[in-house]
Amino acid sequence: MFALVDCNSCYASCEQIFRPDLRDKPVVVLSNNDGCVIARSKEAKALGIPDLHAYFKIRHLLERHRVAVFSGNFRLYGDISRRVMDCLRHFSPDIEIYSIDEMFLSMDGICQPLQDYGQTIKQNVWRQVRMPVSVGIAPSKTLAKLANYAAKNIPSQHGVCLLDAPHKWQWLLRRVPATKVWGIGRRLGARLADMGIHSAWELASSDPKTIRRRFNVCVERTLEELNGSPCLALEEVTPDKKQIYCTRSFGDKPTELDPLLRAVALYASRAAEKLRAQQHLALTLHVFIHTSPHRPNYYSNSTVVQLPYATDDSRVIAACAQQGVRRIFRPGHAYLKAGVGLIELVSKRYHQEDIFEVGQSPRADALMQTLDGINRRYGRGTAVLASEGKKRGWPMRQQYCSPAYTTRWTDIPIIKS
């Protein structure tokens, strides 16, 4: 049996932890640069506040309903997520952190009734972190996902749904569209609809051979999981990323080349830091820039740059990223966003150098280890590349950002008796 624990409206709930006056009130969280709504409390959803809509388009609606608006405070959300995951580790020795707000737990070996155990998990997370969660328990990960969906949306479940018998999950599958099934997106759902498969029950009742022939083995495994046969094991070790991107929107849109060069040097350095953390080297990088699609004279361009050799050296990656920006920059535009992606990665442990080509030197490895060590000990940004510049003229617009309650000494809440 698997349990999926999912934070309810995670970002909005994080904001309510240190603002108890906002509990049971509508709250929304905005994306970088206060662009669009990315999280809504259940009260905001009940008001009909749309998701992923530009903030300036629905600002009047938010003001009319007196909705509390927050800029995305992702350091706070990351720290709260860590606290939730640390709390959940006590309930199972085998876990998989699926996302910032979701964790799978193995329920094998649990002696007490699983419905009660799910309530214990839910209450413990609330007591320790003040984060509301829903718990779905089922014999497969895909069914656990659907059980969690039921725990959130069926009030009689009180936040915990246990699907431990075929008649229980079959009842739910008949009432859930196929597109609500884990791994079945909109395009795949349209192809299933062409076959007359609209509900999760119709998908579960399909012929596995036909599904595999028309789609692929992954959809066939989903079908088996919907019938209670686990095909997906817990991923206790997070798999390495196949691509690493670092992108940001600009608060003050640059029109000159120089701030773009400094920005991509910073993004390339951040991407290289993540690359070293997973012990990989990059062969190719992707650089892009674009203006606002809501403004006239829209411009967007990107380029792929081949690195001189497989490397994790921030200096080499940043220099190549700047080379790419010079190639695609066009004057006369106010740029909204830029990004750097490392798109062709190889394992550093198993990579074999070409004896006829120059590769990364041991001195470069030692320098990068020193750079990472300084920034780990004294904080990110203590030691940086000179190409990133001393002053960064592109701060994000975060007009409604909450304090860093858990990561900055000066922002720690003070309790007054």
Side-chain angles (χ1 to χ4, degrees):
M1 298 289 283
F2 298 89
L4 176 66
V5 183
D6 186 12
C7 300
N8 299 340
S9 305
C10 180
Y11 294 169
S13 295
C14 286
E15 297 292 353
Q16 291 172 320
I17 290 175
F18 296 96
R19 290 286 306 275
D21 58 307
L22 293 178
R23 287 185 189 143
D24 301 321
K25 294 182 179 179
V27 174
V28 300
V29 176
L30 306 179
S31 63
N32 288 336
N33 284 307
D34 298 341
C36 64
V37 173
I38 57 171
R40 303 161 296 161
S41 65
K42 64 179 180 180
E43 294 79 14
K45 294 175 184 177
L47 291 172
I49 305 298
D51 192 21
L52 300 177
H53 271 56
Y55 172 56
F56 74 90
K57 291 184 177 180
I58 60 172
R59 184 171 182 173
H60 66 285
L61 180 63
L62 299 174
E63 292 174 348
R64 186 196 317 157
H65 293 290
R66 298 183 179 180
V67 178
V69 178
F70 290 93
S71 302
N73 189 344
F74 297 106
R75 286 191 179 181
L76 173 66
Y77 309 152
D79 189 64
I80 296 299
S81 171
R82 178 188 60 79
R83 293 167 187 244
V84 171
M85 301 308 171
D86 287 346
C87 180
L88 294 175
R89 292 178 197 275
H90 296 287
F91 293 95
S92 175
D94 303 316
I95 58 135
E96 175 191 337
I97 299 177
Y98 180 65
S99 68
I100 191 173
D101 62 345
E102 294 176 282
M103 175 186 275
F104 284 105
L105 294 82
S106 172
M107 294 288 98
D108 295 340
I110 303 301
C111 298
Q112 69 182 89
L114 292 180
Q115 185 79 31
D116 296 340
Y117 198 67
Q119 286 292 343
T120 300
I121 293 173
K122 178 175 177 287
Q123 293 164 12
N124 197 273
V125 174
W126 174 256
R127 184 169 58 251
Q128 294 194 28
V129 191
R130 280 295 186 265
M131 171 62 71
V133 299
S134 297
V135 183
I137 306 174
S140 70
K141 291 171 73 175
T142 303
L143 281 177
K145 272 274 194 179
L146 282 177
N148 192 280
Y149 172 80
K152 274 186 169 69
N153 294 280
I154 302 178
S156 62
Q157 297 300 300
H158 303 292
V160 178
C161 178
L162 172 64
L163 303 179
D164 57 351
H167 71 276
K168 292 184 179 180
W169 66 69
Q170 290 170 6
W171 180 91
L172 181 61
L173 292 177
R174 287 186 171 93
R175 290 160 175 79
V176 174
T179 50
K180 288 293 182 183
V181 175
W182 188 29
I184 306 297
R186 184 178 59 184
R187 291 182 180 180
L188 198 53
R191 291 177 60 192
L192 289 170
D194 291 339
M195 297 174 59
I197 299 173
H198 302 278
S199 69
W201 168 251
E202 291 170 336
L203 176 59
S205 304
S206 303
D207 177 53
K209 303 288 186 188
T210 301
I211 291 296
R212 181 168 185 170
R213 186 171 61 252
R214 294 287 298 271
F215 298 95
N216 53 49
V217 67
C218 295
V219 183
E220 182 188 17
R221 287 173 182 164
T222 298
L223 185 153
E224 297 292 344
E225 290 244 325
L226 289 175
N227 286 290
S229 300
C231 300
L232 303 173
L234 289 179
E235 294 182 354
E236 298 180 44
V237 178
T238 304
D240 293 327
K241 295 180 179 179
K242 297 181 179 179
Q243 296 182 343
I244 297 176
Y245 270 83
C246 185
T247 68
R248 295 289 187 278
S249 298
F250 302 115
D252 297 324
K253 302 178 183 64
T255 57
E256 304 296 330
L257 176 60
D258 185 62
L260 283 176
L261 291 175
R262 287 185 280 123
V264 298
L266 170 63
Y267 305 158
S269 182
R270 293 277 174 85
E273 182 182 345
K274 296 177 183 179
L275 182 70
R276 293 191 293 272
Q278 71 173 40
Q279 294 291 305
H280 275 60
L281 304 170
L283 296 170
T284 311
L285 62 82
H286 172 229
V287 184
F288 70 86
I289 55 175
H290 68 75
T291 63
S292 172
H294 303 291
R295 302 292 183 183
N297 198 25
Y298 174 69
Y299 174 74
S300 174
N301 206 347
S302 66
T303 186
V304 173
V305 181
Q306 193 73 34
L307 295 168
Y309 47 82
T311 182
D312 61 7
D313 189 332
S314 296
R315 299 169 300 170
V316 176
I317 294 172
C320 289
Q322 290 183 322
Q323 172 190 333
V325 168
R326 289 189 179 94
R327 189 184 303 167
I328 60 178
F329 173 77
R330 296 291 181 274
H333 295 283
Y335 290 93
L336 173 68
K337 192 172 186 177
V340 176
L342 307 178
I343 58 175
E344 189 178 359
L345 311 183
V346 293
S347 172
K348 191 171 186 178
R349 180 179 301 176
Y350 303 111
H351 179 66
Q352 185 172 353
E353 298 286 354
D354 189 332
I355 62 173
F356 301 107
E357 298 290 340
V358 176
Q360 182 162 298
S361 68
R363 292 186 65 182
D365 290 331
L367 178 60
M368 292 301 106
Q369 290 176 10
T370 303
L371 177 67
D372 292 339
I374 292 172
N375 288 326
R376 275 196 302 269
R377 182 170 182 177
Y378 298 104
R380 174 179 284 174
T382 302
V384 300
L385 300 180
S387 57
E388 297 177 26
K390 189 175 181 181
K391 292 185 178 180
R392 295 167 185 170
W394 58 91
M396 286 194 298
R397 184 170 59 249
Q398 293 182 302
Q399 185 178 351
Y400 312 104
C401 192
S402 56
Y405 295 110
T406 63
T407 56
R408 187 183 299 141
W409 286 108
T410 55
D411 290 351
I412 293 177
I414 298 174
I415 300 174
K416 297 180 180 180
S417 59

